[in-house]
Amino acid sequence: MDTASHSTKHVFAFEEGNGKDKKLLGGKGANLCEMTQIGLNVPPGFVISTAACLEYLDSPARALPAGVMDEVRAQMQVLEAKTGKGFGNPEDPLLVSVRSGSAMSMPGMMDTILNLGLNTETLQGLIRQTGDPRFGYDAYRRFIQLFGKVALGVPDELFDHEFEAVKDKAHVKEDIGLSAADLKEISERFLKVVEAHTGAPFPGDPLEQLEIAIKAVFNSWMGKRAVDYRRQFHITPDMAHGTAVNVVTMVFGNRGNDSGTGVAFTRNPGTGENKLFGEYLLNAQGEDVVAGIRTPKPIDRLRDEMPEMARQLDDLRDKLESHYREIQDFEFTIERGQLFCLQTRNGKMNAQAMVRTSVEMEREGLITKEQALLRIAPDLLEQMLFPRLDPKARAEAVAQGLPASPGAASGIAVFDADRAEQMGRELGQKVILVREETKPEDIHGFFASEGILTSRGGKTSHAAVVARGMGKPCVAGAEGIVVDVNRREAYVGETSFREGQVITIDGTTGKVYLGAIPTVEPDFSPELNTLLAWADEVASLEVMANADTPDDARSALKYGAVGIGLARTERMFNDPARLPIVIEMIVADSSEDRQAALDRLLPLQRSDFRELFEVMSPRPVTIRLLDPPIHEFLPDEHQLERELIELRRLAETTRGMVVLSGTMSLIHASDGARRELDAMRRMIDPALVEDAIAKKETMLRKVRVLYETNPMLGHRGVRLGITFPEIYQMQIRAILEAAAECARMGIEVHPQIKVPQVCTAQELKRVKSYVDTIHEEVKQRYGHPVNFKFGTMIEVVRACMRAESLAEVAEFFSFGTNDLTQATFSFSREDAENKFLPLYNQSTILQDNPFEVLDVKGVGKLMKLAVEWGKQTRPDIHVGICGEHGGHPSSIAFCQEAGLDYVSCSAPRVPVARLAAAHAALGAKL
Ligand code: PEP
Ligand code: MG
């Protein structure tokens, strides 16, 4: 005989099992051991190890390892001694539950068997113990069915059939209406079902029942459900190998009014308040609480009904928290005045409760600041920063898009930016701007809207980026929606919504709803500020904000940004008041005309920058020179063609009107008639219309000249600054003059100028030459130099490859990972997320969406090379990231590893990034 297996211990009493060894005892078993050993009153029991399971499954005849049943019998005797009851004793029967439990929680495995140990004799003992025949027979028929199904493989339908037959006979609709006699009949019929199906009588010997149950638990590890589950969730043997079996003494909460059952959290999971939170039922079993047959009472009431139990529950709460140092969600049963803890686990809480409990537990000395930070997933903070859909609201989404900017909002649908402005700003309505996709010229519509919905575009599309910057919800790329701007209607499958109809969007999930769904307001609590201050103490990455306007900058400060890492200047160009000047500059045929328009833009830009500097003083403000292709500021070609057709029609009409008024003046010569005709002539001045036509034609010509098949890879960024130097020169002048003006007023400013889309040092040198010349002029004019930095975006693959050369000119690098991801994958950032990326993610060709989670293996590798090579040339070069990944926790951890100095993200994302930066620093320390 194999002596090794004899000497191996397979069965562990709760007092002796190692509560940390989940691999050997399973999660549940280890937890029961730990609870017992810290002095909680857990019903006595023991665990049969996962090693026994693996040995059993390996044995050709599926036999339990030698000695296991001896150990089990010995443990049962210990249970008998502890409880004073006897396993199989008809006078005072000991009953147990049998449960599976592996190192990972796995719903694919065996269900729990309750009341094991019941047979026709012990049943009478149970009835005597409880004084309740109905309860006794109910327990018995449940045991036969569960044991029959999970341990003996009898199909449920066979039991259901008998159950329904008795109900019919008794003319009873609900189970609750069955009498003890009915339940007795059911259990007798169930025994017959088992015998007929298995060919053997239902096992009456409790030890035989136990052995069968143990084997059934072990077998369930290789059951189809469990195998499929492990495959689906990638549970490897390393994570969980085999299941343990937990055998636990049954305790009953339904043995009279000195018994009961309940569930509780050691603190309030909704608010974090340091007070026991939960509910209970007297004279009831756990099932009654779950099934909702009776309404449980709030835990406070227990103080009146059972003061001693309430005191013991407080004691239990203190023990749980001081041991686990985490909020616990636990189950308890009171059996005849004795409190048992059946289960405990870390409590799941909302963000507000997580933050409050982190801060309070640190103050109570339960956890350190580092633990307080690490127990909160940074993304969870979003709940505290944006309105959410009320979790209690039940609503069916009509469409699903990309969750492009978090938060939820309701409002009436409008289909263009002007209308949004009119309804939102002027008429004070709450509106949701619905577009196929948005363009820079829609910006005024963003300001006036509660949220943005587009049917095209990805998470780095214009709509997504701008909405995130403003902290407004956005659902992008909801391709199930067809937007018909002309009819002012959107079609979603069978339904549709028109302008003026209320819709709700949830930018956190990407869902779109018809009608108004209630929302819950965010809560930026004082505890959150405390927690984030601790985060800043440990973080080494600085967190800056992407902010384009003074309002954005103010919100960046509110959220704790240490500077602006990216101000996209195109937002300023799109202000409705100055867009006409920008258009004038673009359509200008000569450089003199262009300069004239730029001269008008200069003071406007200067004041934009001055305001940004003032708000952020003394923090750095990084301004990016113009990036998008300039045709984006012009109207769409088709729109211009349509407008020209209208204008030409109007020109004919006005000519006709002139003829008409001339004719009429000959016929009606009175003064009054003449005055009316003069007014009419002024109104329909054909010269005005001709002028409008000429302007539109010029614009159309320009739009056609500027047309590019692939504008994203086209005439944009620094290419624009080199072909139209006067645009960049105007911006550079505006930055330096604004800084000089601030300095003159005693305001400390740290402007940084950065150049987009650079791929060679020659481009940077060219722009730097503009900067140097203009700086000289500004120095002369203001009488002092301006303290500024000059740097580059790194968003082109060649820029990474030539980093050592770029660093000769650039004092800082700012990774534009939106474009760099696009360039590295050759995936269009506008289309990929709606077309093939979902399938790539589903079929795990790619694990994540690279526009959301930084692709460490590819894009990250390029970044690391660029940092290394850049530092070889300029060791103190300041390096950061300003793509959308700058606000994403795991990407932030990578930035720390890659040696970056800062991350920059949209203002409302700054708190998430601050906590993630702390996690990254703490992770790096481990
Ligand atoms: C980027 O490309 O990552 C970036 C920040 O610039 P934009 O999104 O404006 O192209
Ligand atoms: Mg870019």
Side-chain angles (χ1 to χ4, degrees), residues 760-772:
T760 159
Q762 291 310 320
E763 290 169 326
L764 263 190
K765 283 182 185 154
R766 178 72 64 91
V767 179
K768 183 69 181 3
S769 74
Y770 310 159
V771 173
D772 290 341

PDB file of all heavy atoms in Angstrom, residues 760-772:
ATOM      1  N   THR A 760      11.107  65.674 -38.221  1.00  0.00           N
ATOM      2  CA  THR A 760      12.550  65.865 -38.377  1.00  0.00           C
ATOM      3  C   THR A 760      12.994  67.122 -37.628  1.00  0.00           C
ATOM      4  O   THR A 760      12.226  68.095 -37.509  1.00  0.00           O
ATOM      5  CB  THR A 760      12.951  65.979 -39.868  1.00  0.00           C
ATOM      6  OG1 THR A 760      14.209  66.641 -39.956  1.00  0.00           O
ATOM      7  CG2 THR A 760      11.965  66.766 -40.678  1.00  0.00           C
ATOM      8  N   ALA A 761      14.263  67.088 -37.179  1.00  0.00           N
ATOM      9  CA  ALA A 761      14.778  68.236 -36.419  1.00  0.00           C
ATOM     10  C   ALA A 761      14.786  69.501 -37.271  1.00  0.00           C
ATOM     11  O   ALA A 761      14.705  70.615 -36.747  1.00  0.00           O
ATOM     12  CB  ALA A 761      16.178  67.926 -35.914  1.00  0.00           C
ATOM     13  N   GLN A 762      14.864  69.323 -38.590  1.00  0.00           N
ATOM     14  CA  GLN A 762      14.892  70.503 -39.460  1.00  0.00           C
ATOM     15  C   GLN A 762      13.610  71.329 -39.310  1.00  0.00           C
ATOM     16  O   GLN A 762      13.629  72.550 -39.324  1.00  0.00           O
ATOM     17  CB  GLN A 762      15.068  70.091 -40.933  1.00  0.00           C
ATOM     18  CG  GLN A 762      16.435  69.506 -41.255  1.00  0.00           C
ATOM     19  CD  GLN A 762      17.577  70.368 -40.753  1.00  0.00           C
ATOM     20  OE1 GLN A 762      17.528  71.607 -40.838  1.00  0.00           O
ATOM     21  NE2 GLN A 762      18.601  69.754 -40.195  1.00  0.00           N
ATOM     22  N   GLU A 763      12.488  70.620 -39.171  1.00  0.00           N
ATOM     23  CA  GLU A 763      11.216  71.343 -38.975  1.00  0.00           C
ATOM     24  C   GLU A 763      11.273  72.150 -37.680  1.00  0.00           C
ATOM     25  O   GLU A 763      10.889  73.319 -37.631  1.00  0.00           O
ATOM     26  CB  GLU A 763      10.052  70.330 -38.889  1.00  0.00           C
ATOM     27  CG  GLU A 763       9.727  69.636 -40.188  1.00  0.00           C
ATOM     28  CD  GLU A 763       8.754  68.461 -39.982  1.00  0.00           C
ATOM     29  OE1 GLU A 763       8.818  67.788 -38.947  1.00  0.00           O
ATOM     30  OE2 GLU A 763       7.945  68.217 -40.889  1.00  0.00           O
ATOM     31  N   LEU A 764      11.762  71.487 -36.648  1.00  0.00           N
ATOM     32  CA  LEU A 764      11.813  72.160 -35.340  1.00  0.00           C
ATOM     33  C   LEU A 764      12.734  73.376 -35.398  1.00  0.00           C
ATOM     34  O   LEU A 764      12.426  74.430 -34.840  1.00  0.00           O
ATOM     35  CB  LEU A 764      12.370  71.202 -34.294  1.00  0.00           C
ATOM     36  CG  LEU A 764      11.393  70.444 -33.415  1.00  0.00           C
ATOM     37  CD1 LEU A 764      12.158  69.759 -32.295  1.00  0.00           C
ATOM     38  CD2 LEU A 764      10.328  71.365 -32.819  1.00  0.00           C
ATOM     39  N   LYS A 765      13.863  73.181 -36.087  1.00  0.00           N
ATOM     40  CA  LYS A 765      14.828  74.292 -36.172  1.00  0.00           C
ATOM     41  C   LYS A 765      14.194  75.482 -36.863  1.00  0.00           C
ATOM     42  O   LYS A 765      14.397  76.631 -36.475  1.00  0.00           O
ATOM     43  CB  LYS A 765      16.087  73.844 -36.927  1.00  0.00           C
ATOM     44  CG  LYS A 765      16.987  72.982 -36.059  1.00  0.00           C
ATOM     45  CD  LYS A 765      18.254  72.584 -36.782  1.00  0.00           C
ATOM     46  CE  LYS A 765      19.054  71.630 -35.901  1.00  0.00           C
ATOM     47  NZ  LYS A 765      19.917  70.745 -36.676  1.00  0.00           N
ATOM     48  N   ARG A 766      13.419  75.186 -37.933  1.00  0.00           N
ATOM     49  CA  ARG A 766      12.764  76.277 -38.677  1.00  0.00           C
ATOM     50  C   ARG A 766      11.834  77.047 -37.727  1.00  0.00           C
ATOM     51  O   ARG A 766      11.891  78.275 -37.644  1.00  0.00           O
ATOM     52  CB  ARG A 766      11.983  75.681 -39.850  1.00  0.00           C
ATOM     53  CG  ARG A 766      11.207  76.663 -40.685  1.00  0.00           C
ATOM     54  CD  ARG A 766      12.110  77.531 -41.557  1.00  0.00           C
ATOM     55  NE  ARG A 766      12.821  76.731 -42.552  1.00  0.00           N
ATOM     56  CZ  ARG A 766      12.370  76.476 -43.781  1.00  0.00           C
ATOM     57  NH1 ARG A 766      11.242  76.998 -44.173  1.00  0.00           N
ATOM     58  NH2 ARG A 766      13.055  75.735 -44.621  1.00  0.00           N
ATOM     59  N   VAL A 767      11.016  76.319 -36.980  1.00  0.00           N
ATOM     60  CA  VAL A 767      10.069  77.015 -36.093  1.00  0.00           C
ATOM     61  C   VAL A 767      10.826  77.736 -34.981  1.00  0.00           C
ATOM     62  O   VAL A 767      10.480  78.839 -34.574  1.00  0.00           O
ATOM     63  CB  VAL A 767       9.026  76.028 -35.519  1.00  0.00           C
ATOM     64  CG1 VAL A 767       8.061  76.750 -34.590  1.00  0.00           C
ATOM     65  CG2 VAL A 767       8.254  75.354 -36.639  1.00  0.00           C
ATOM     66  N   LYS A 768      11.909  77.097 -34.517  1.00  0.00           N
ATOM     67  CA  LYS A 768      12.705  77.731 -33.454  1.00  0.00           C
ATOM     68  C   LYS A 768      13.281  79.054 -33.945  1.00  0.00           C
ATOM     69  O   LYS A 768      13.393  80.022 -33.176  1.00  0.00           O
ATOM     70  CB  LYS A 768      13.834  76.779 -33.023  1.00  0.00           C
ATOM     71  CG  LYS A 768      14.686  77.288 -31.883  1.00  0.00           C
ATOM     72  CD  LYS A 768      13.890  77.307 -30.597  1.00  0.00           C
ATOM     73  CE  LYS A 768      14.572  77.812 -29.345  1.00  0.00           C
ATOM     74  NZ  LYS A 768      15.863  78.322 -29.315  1.00  0.00           N
ATOM     75  N   SER A 769      13.617  79.101 -35.250  1.00  0.00           N
ATOM     76  CA  SER A 769      14.166  80.360 -35.779  1.00  0.00           C
ATOM     77  C   SER A 769      13.114  81.462 -35.722  1.00  0.00           C
ATOM     78  O   SER A 769      13.409  82.610 -35.415  1.00  0.00           O
ATOM     79  CB  SER A 769      14.721  80.175 -37.191  1.00  0.00           C
ATOM     80  OG  SER A 769      13.637  80.068 -38.112  1.00  0.00           O
ATOM     81  N   TYR A 770      11.822  81.106 -35.972  1.00  0.00           N
ATOM     82  CA  TYR A 770      10.765  82.129 -35.830  1.00  0.00           C
ATOM     83  C   TYR A 770      10.741  82.610 -34.374  1.00  0.00           C
ATOM     84  O   TYR A 770      10.624  83.793 -34.085  1.00  0.00           O
ATOM     85  CB  TYR A 770       9.352  81.609 -36.096  1.00  0.00           C
ATOM     86  CG  TYR A 770       9.072  80.827 -37.361  1.00  0.00           C
ATOM     87  CD1 TYR A 770       7.950  79.995 -37.413  1.00  0.00           C
ATOM     88  CD2 TYR A 770       9.856  80.944 -38.501  1.00  0.00           C
ATOM     89  CE1 TYR A 770       7.623  79.277 -38.537  1.00  0.00           C
ATOM     90  CE2 TYR A 770       9.538  80.211 -39.645  1.00  0.00           C
ATOM     91  CZ  TYR A 770       8.437  79.381 -39.650  1.00  0.00           C
ATOM     92  OH  TYR A 770       8.115  78.659 -40.761  1.00  0.00           O
ATOM     93  N   VAL A 771      10.815  81.617 -33.476  1.00  0.00           N
ATOM     94  CA  VAL A 771      10.705  81.939 -32.051  1.00  0.00           C
ATOM     95  C   VAL A 771      11.828  82.891 -31.645  1.00  0.00           C
ATOM     96  O   VAL A 771      11.590  83.910 -30.975  1.00  0.00           O
ATOM     97  CB  VAL A 771      10.753  80.648 -31.198  1.00  0.00           C
ATOM     98  CG1 VAL A 771      10.816  80.981 -29.717  1.00  0.00           C
ATOM     99  CG2 VAL A 771       9.546  79.776 -31.487  1.00  0.00           C
ATOM    100  N   ASP A 772      13.042  82.557 -32.073  1.00  0.00           N
ATOM    101  CA  ASP A 772      14.185  83.381 -31.657  1.00  0.00           C
ATOM    102  C   ASP A 772      14.040  84.809 -32.159  1.00  0.00           C
ATOM    103  O   ASP A 772      14.271  85.773 -31.422  1.00  0.00           O
ATOM    104  CB  ASP A 772      15.493  82.764 -32.162  1.00  0.00           C
ATOM    105  CG  ASP A 772      15.808  81.470 -31.412  1.00  0.00           C
ATOM    106  OD1 ASP A 772      15.235  81.277 -30.306  1.00  0.00           O
ATOM    107  OD2 ASP A 772      16.581  80.642 -31.933  1.00  0.00           O
TER     108      ASP A 772
END
